[in-house]
Every structure is written in structure tokens, then in C-alpha cells.
Amino acid sequence: MSVQIEEVRPAPTRRTPTHDLTRTSGIGLGVTMTWFSLLVLIPLAAVVTTAAAGGWGGFWRAVSNDQTAAAIRLTVTAAFGVTAVNVVIGTVIAWVLVRDRFPGKGMLELVIDIPFALPTIVAGLVLASLYGNDSPLGLNLVNSGWSVYLAFLFVTLPFVVRTVQPVLEELDQEIEEAAASLGASRFTTFRRIILPALTPAIAAGAALSFARAMGEYGSLVLLSGNLPFTSEVTSVRILSAIENDNRATAAAIATLLLLISLLVIVVLDVIQRRVASRG
Amino acid sequence: MAERHRYPKGPTTYVLRALVVAYLALLVAWPVALVVTNTFEHGDEALRTILEDPDMQAALRLTAVAAVVATAINTVFGVSVSLLLVRNQFPGKRALSALLDLPLSVSPIVVGLALVLVYGGRNGWFGPSLEESGFQVIFSTPGIIMATAFVSLPLVIREVVPVLQELGTEQEQAAQSLGASGWQTFWRITLPSIKWAVIYGVVLTLARSLGEFGAVKVVSGNILGETRTATLAVEEKYLNFDQEGAYAIAFLLASVSVLAILVVFVLRSREARR
């Protein structure tokens, strides 16, 4: 799903070694980069700088505070758990969407995109109405640690499905037929032929879903109750530090989150590059 | 598309189908349907109350303004950056294309914090000097627009870049060799060919912008009638035990986002058929 830039072979004429910008595109690059810096890069740099100003000791004190450490533990565990679920169910959903045919399949396509476009606060509200106090199902997850898992599952639903689906559509079914005609069972064909081809896409989707879960906030507000040591996630800790005007602490926890996001993006980039070079 | 099934449709097919339908129903379809039934429990009274409340009108207007401005900025930015990334070579291009994805994996709360640290009026990096010249960002509309633009930044780019790559440059070169200027080539050749990708990007950006909550919560100050957006009003109403009001605003927001997905879905399947 990441923006991937194919290397366009440059025309041999009119080209300096480092760039081929005309005056208009040069100005365009300048303007867009200024805006990008003002909006994204400088503010994110400010977070890291503010965190670094407290030194290693300050950083460590901020993230090892009992309540914060518990929040980080819960967020990381839930993000990993939900990503593992998504790897399985996301691949199954993509499989059903591509290979199965039945009336109403188009509706499923729509339903999968809803978590992406639905405001997160509304996501929390709707989940609370099915899994809350007067749940028609008789389940009450509100204010428990499980509500965090539920909210994460909702907001990360589209990622694995939408990265795996296009790869599965492109997959050559003749190879599967060949495997079958050579006597491979359905399961063997899946494990030996299909799964290896899907692995990079699954990994990319998993990385996106993990990063999304790590930073989730909006869907938890009305759902988890933000109880310390039970259902409080990292984003909530950052917000309370901001509200107490404790910027150094907020920046330290935020930097930890940013580092994790960055790590995930690098992994994603490496995986996609490997796929591109193989294909 | 003619499909040949080497394996007969066995029980596995039906088990998987049932599993997927049940999972999606329990996780998404049923909860989202409940927002509709809860809103109209007492007819359209809840919805009417919201639409007649001047504070809510202000909140809805602010949400609409922030979303439209942020979408406009991201569209111009997104198309320009996509063109630069696909058509030009320059140092740092790889790093830039990786960094452009960053906003999707940064927590909304961190986005808010980052903007406050730079544009905060009291002790931000640029905030105090901007306020001296009479331009308040944080706790004001510009901050809300920036937070919204931040979180939905890559969506247009993600739609446009693949289409531009497929497109190639032959038509553009032909236009230029016939004497078209850069602008003419862009308006007459490039833009019409990436039209649909831009439209998908705009619709998705708009949907995402209308619903931003965490980042806006940090930068807005949540002042009633001034900087309270629709999503913030959902939280406030729900926590003040005005469930009907919360559901009514949630219903409005959810309708817009479902409509956005529907538009993209219909356009895409139409294009696929062509």
C-alpha cells in the first residue's frame, strides 16, 4: 500500500547527474517541500528535540513510570495480538473476496472499507452500543482490557485485506492447477504455492496494521474508559501529559511511539523493495 | 472473467465464506447499523434537535470548513508531489517517498503534540512570533486545519502515483513536440488522464478529514461554539449522558463516510467494467 516509486530510466539528453528539474518543477519542489516541512517534518522534529532536551535520564524516567509502562505494555501486546489475528482473518477475507462468488459479495467490499472512513470516535460509539452495557449480545467489554483489542480489530481491519487482495488477483491459477494435477492436496498447494507468493503482501499489511494500532486513540475514548493499569493505552498517557502541561514527558512517550512507527516503515520499505526486485 | 476451478467447491469454501460473513457482521456491519436504529429510536426528533442547536450548527460548519480547506491543500500538494516523484529525478527522492507515508502511522495525539510544540502561542518554536503578528494557530481554526491536513496527507498521493506510473510520458512528449507549453500539457493531457485517481483521493481525504478526532482534540482547545468540531461534540454529548445527541451527530458523520466509500466503490466498479 505504500507509495512506491518506480525508477524511470532517464532520457540521456538534457540531464545533469543529480536532477532533471526544469524551472517550474524546481519551484514546485521548493514550495511543496516548504509546506511539508512546516506541517510534518519540523513539528515531528520538535517532538524528538523536546524529548532529547531532558537527556537519557529524563527520557527513561518518563517511559518507565509505572502507569506509563503498563500502558505501553498493553498497547504493544494488543497491537501484536490484533496484528496476528489480522494476518489470518485478513488473508481469509481477501481469499473469499477474490476466489469465492456469491450474491452480496459486493456488500462485503463496502463493509471492509468502512473502518477506514468512519470517524474513530463514531467507531468507539458504535462498538460500545453492541459490546457495551445494554449489549444485544449480552457481552459487556466496555472499561475492560478486551475493549482495547476490540477497537484495534475494528480500525485495522482493512490493512491486510487491501494489501493481499491485489496480489491474490494477479496470481496465476495455472500453477495451482499444475500442482493439483501432480497430486498435491489443496492444503499443500496453499502452503507451497500460494502462501509464499502472498507473504510479502501479508507482511506489509501486518506492519501497517501494527503501526495503526500502536497510535490508536479516538475509538477508545468512549469504549475503554481509560482505566490506569487496565485499559489505558499509550496515546492516552501522552494526552494526559499534554493536559498537565508536562511537555517533556509527553514528548518522550511520543518519541518512543515515533521510533516504533519509523521502524515499521523501514521494515515495510525493505519488504516491498525485496518483492519489487524479485518480480 | 472466466474462472476454472480445479478443486470442486468443497465444505472449506462454505466454512470460509460463513466465517468471513460472520466476522464482518459482528465487527462492522451490526455495530454500524445500530447507530442508525439508535438515532431514530424516537423518530427524527434527536436529529432535528441537533440541527436546530446553534452550537451544533457552528460545530458542523467548522468541521466542514476544516475538512474542505484541508482537502483542497492536500489535493494541490498531492498532485504536485506525485508529478515530481514520478516524472523527476532529484536527490533525496527515496527518502521523501518514504517520509510521505509517515502521517499514516503517527498517532493523532502525537500529531497534535507536534503542532503544539511548534505553533503553540506560549512557548512553541514559531508560535509566539506568529501571535505577535496577529496569527493564532493553536486553539484556533488554522491549527484545526493543519491537524486535519497532517493526518490525511498521503491519501491523494497514494491514488495518483500508481496511475501516473502506468501512464508513461509519451502523450505528454507528443503534446510538447507539437508546441504545447508546460501548463497546457498539464491541463489538457496529464490532468484528464489522472482525473479518476484524483477524485478517489479527494473523496477519501474528505472522509478522513471530516472524522479526525485525536489531533484536533489536542490543538483545538474544544471551545464551545468556536473551536469545537463535530467529532469533539460526539464525545462531549456522550460523556454528558446525552446519548441521543451523540448518536445523532455520529449518524451524520457516519452517513458522510459511508457515502464517500459508496461513491468510490461505484466509480471503481464502473471503471473496472470499462
Side-chain angles (χ1 to χ4, degrees), chain B residues 49-103:
Chain B
T49 317
I50 291 300
L51 292 174
E52 281 165 6
D53 179 352
D55 286 331
M56 285 307 112
Q57 287 172 355
L60 290 170
R61 205 176 309 125
L62 177 61
T63 295
V65 167
V68 168
V69 175
T71 305
I73 293 172
N74 279 345
T75 306
V76 175
F77 176 82
V79 172
S80 321
V81 169
S82 306
L83 277 170
L84 286 163
L85 283 177
V86 178
R87 295 279 192 264
N88 291 97
Q89 295 296 326
F90 51 88
K93 194 170 102 162
R94 241 196 89 175
L96 176 64
S97 78
L99 283 173
L100 283 170
D101 263 348
L102 202 55

Side-chain angles (χ1 to χ4, degrees), chain A residues 14 22-25, chain B residues 83 87 171-173 175-192:
Chain A
R14 262 186 35 185
T22 60
R23 221 181 69 174
T24 327
S25 53
Chain B
L83 277 170
R87 295 279 192 264
Q171 288 191 323
E172 287 170 25
Q173 280 169 356
Q176 254 153 12
S177 72
L178 293 170
S181 72
W183 269 121
Q184 280 174 321
T185 315
F186 176 74
W187 282 111
R188 302 251 178 102
I189 308 289
T190 317
L191 199 56

